[in-house]
């Protein structure tokens, strides 16, 4: 029998954990697969640790990973994925904004052979207007500047097969992360399921607009090198404008009387600004290359190798090569 691992990252969620646990058990009890629940306690300072320990003591299918301190949502999810042992893994938040009732549908998709199941929000009941608008703009900008196309309104509620999880475990170990982006960039057979995000069941959101903005800028820089190229593009633009200005100033000097030193200042300014921006742009190009190397993302991910040659064929080929 196959097994699903449900990974839940939790930080100071004492008010919702009991309700989450009972909804998870209700959803998992009607599934075809066996289950394990991996709770990642991301350095909570409320009574979450005690509540989670209680679940693990009562139910051997519950694992609790206590992190040494608060590392943030993404790190907690990665820890959960690392320790999950199921054939399929579902990541979700603890606050019930990601309703456990969708779990059977996700398992159906795994049964159909899907590796990546992205849960896409249709309505965000609990979302603030500002936050929803900011999220829309963020995805539009990201999709415009990045070579990857990301599912708009995708959330940190997703399913991944064990082989996709292995890629995250071994290949995507960057410190600057965007987990749902990594998940979507793996490839394999992917599907989306639409869902209605619920209101937070209790407690309060941990992410302010400023924290989300900082996160958005980091992601943009992580998935697009356009910001680094601004230097070279503006340098080229400044050079073109500068050339026009230089020609114009020279004509003015020859044909009309202009204050002494004016032309020299204009020519020097245009030249130096263009040079500075172009040099900055070139440095940007090098940093882009260094960044790509340091990130060490996989160059490719093999889905399957089809090789219908028999052992005899291989030996024959090898012998022929040797003779040559
Ligand atoms: N979370 C976490 N570590 C943190 C902050 C949040 O594990 O440092 C968890 C939190 O308990 C919740 C999920 O990440 O299960 C999403 O957090 P939150 O609901 O505050 O964010 P939002 O849903 O508004 O994006
Ligand atoms: Mg939430």
């Amino acid at each position: 029998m196959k097994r699903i691992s449900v990974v839940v990252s939790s930080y100071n969620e004492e008010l919702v954990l009991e309700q989450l646990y009972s909804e998870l058990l209700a959803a998992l009890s009607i599934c075809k697969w066996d289950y394990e629940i991996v709770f990642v306690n991301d350095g909570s300072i409320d009574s979450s640790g005690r509540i989670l320990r209680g679940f693990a003591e009562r139910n051997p299918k519950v694992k609790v990973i206590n992190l040494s301190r608060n590392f943030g949502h993404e790190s907690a999810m990665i820890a959960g994925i690392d320790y999950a042992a199921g054939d399929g893994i579902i990541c979700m938040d603890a606050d019930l904004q990601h309703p456990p009732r969708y779990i059977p549908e996700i398992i159906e998709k795994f049964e159909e052979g899907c590796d990546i199941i992205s849960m896409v929000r249709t309505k965000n009941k609990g979302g603030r207007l500002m936050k929803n608008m900011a999220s829309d703009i963020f995805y539009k900008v990201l999709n415009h500047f990045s070579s990857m196309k990301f599912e708009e309104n995708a959330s940190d509620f997703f399913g991944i097969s064990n082989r996709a999880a292995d890629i995250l475990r071994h290949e995507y170990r960057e410190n600057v992360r965007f987990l749902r982006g990594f998940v979507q960039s793996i490839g394999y057979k992917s599907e989306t399921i639409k869902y209605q995000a619920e209101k937070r069941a209790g407690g309060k959101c941990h992410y302010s607009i400023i924290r989300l903005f900082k996160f958005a800028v980091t992601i943009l820089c992580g998935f697009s090198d356009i910001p680094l190229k601004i230097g070279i593009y503006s340098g080229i633009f400044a050079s073109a404008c500068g050339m026009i200005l230089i020609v114009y100033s020279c004509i003015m000097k020859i044909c009309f009387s202009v204050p002494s030193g004016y032309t020299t200042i204009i020519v020097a300014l245009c030249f130096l600004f263009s040079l500075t921006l172009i040099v900055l742009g070139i440095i940007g190009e090098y940093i882009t290359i260094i960044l790509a190397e340091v990130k060490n993302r996989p160059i490719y991910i093999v889905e399957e190798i089809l090789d219908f040659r028999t052992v005899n064929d291989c030996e024959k080929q090898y012998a022929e090569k040797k003779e040559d």
Side-chain angles (χ1 to χ4, degrees), residues 9 11 13 42 70 72-73 93-95 97 131 200 205-206:
S9 55
Y11 176 55
E13 301 283 10
D42 185 15
N70 178 248
H73 185 199
D93 289 357
D95 56 9
Q97 285 191 295
K131 220 170 162 182
R200 219 177 203 288
C205 169
H206 303 89

Side-chain angles (χ1 to χ4, degrees), residues 168-183:
L168 293 178
R169 290 178 190 126
H170 302 297
E171 313 281 358
Y172 286 88
R173 305 305 290 186
E174 292 165 37
N175 280 309
V176 181
R177 286 170 304 259
F178 178 41
L179 190 55
R180 74 185 88 147
F182 290 169
V183 166

Side-chain angles (χ1 to χ4, degrees), residues 81-85 89 162 165-173:
I81 293 170
D82 285 350
Y83 282 91
I89 297 170
N162 195 34
D166 266 342
I167 307 254
L168 293 178
R169 290 178 190 126
H170 302 297
E171 313 281 358
Y172 286 88
R173 305 305 290 186

Side-chain angles (χ1 to χ4, degrees), residues 63-233:
K63 270 187 209 167
V64 178
I65 317 288
N66 284 313
L67 301 188
S68 62
R69 62 169 170 84
N70 178 248
F71 283 87
H73 185 199
E74 297 244 323
S75 306
M77 279 194 291
I78 290 175
I81 293 170
D82 285 350
Y83 282 91
D87 302 279
I89 297 170
I90 298 174
C91 284
M92 61 198 304
D93 289 357
D95 56 9
L96 285 161
Q97 285 191 295
H98 301 157
R101 63 173 183 277
Y102 288 93
I103 291 177
E105 208 177 321
I106 300 175
I107 292 180
E108 287 292 322
K109 294 282 179 203
F110 278 133
E111 294 243 293
E112 288 166 19
C114 284
D115 285 279
I116 310 285
I117 299 122
S118 301
M119 302 298 289
V120 176
R121 282 186 300 255
T122 50
K123 241 190 200 161
N124 196 359
K125 282 191 190 166
R128 283 170 286 168
L129 185 71
M130 273 284 284
K131 220 170 162 182
N132 289 347
M133 264 170 55
S135 160
D136 283 351
I137 295 170
F138 165 70
Y139 274 108
K140 294 247 158 22
V141 173
L142 183 64
N143 280 336
H144 192 75
F145 285 121
S146 168
S147 53
M148 270 288 305
K149 290 292 156 262
F150 296 98
E151 192 67 55
E152 288 186 27
N153 291 323
S155 56
D156 287 319
F157 187 18
F158 54 79
I160 46 173
S161 64
N162 195 34
R163 69 170 176 167
D166 266 342
I167 307 254
L168 293 178
R169 290 178 190 126
H170 302 297
E171 313 281 358
Y172 286 88
R173 305 305 290 186
E174 292 165 37
N175 280 309
V176 181
R177 286 170 304 259
F178 178 41
L179 190 55
R180 74 185 88 147
F182 290 169
V183 166
Q184 289 181 46
S185 59
I186 290 177
Y188 291 153
K189 190 172 179 210
S190 309
E191 281 265 6
T192 55
I193 298 177
K194 291 196 167 53
Y195 81 103
Q196 262 201 17
E198 298 294 334
K199 274 195 183 132
R200 219 177 203 288
K204 60 177 176 28
C205 169
H206 303 89
Y207 290 94
S208 63
I209 288 277
I210 294 176
R211 198 168 161 191
L212 286 175
F213 179 73
K214 282 188 188 159
F215 190 45
V217 172
T218 313
I219 294 162
L220 205 61
C221 294
F223 277 91
S224 164
D225 49 17
I226 299 279
L228 266 178
K229 292 182 187 290
I230 287 174
I232 204 144
Y233 295 147

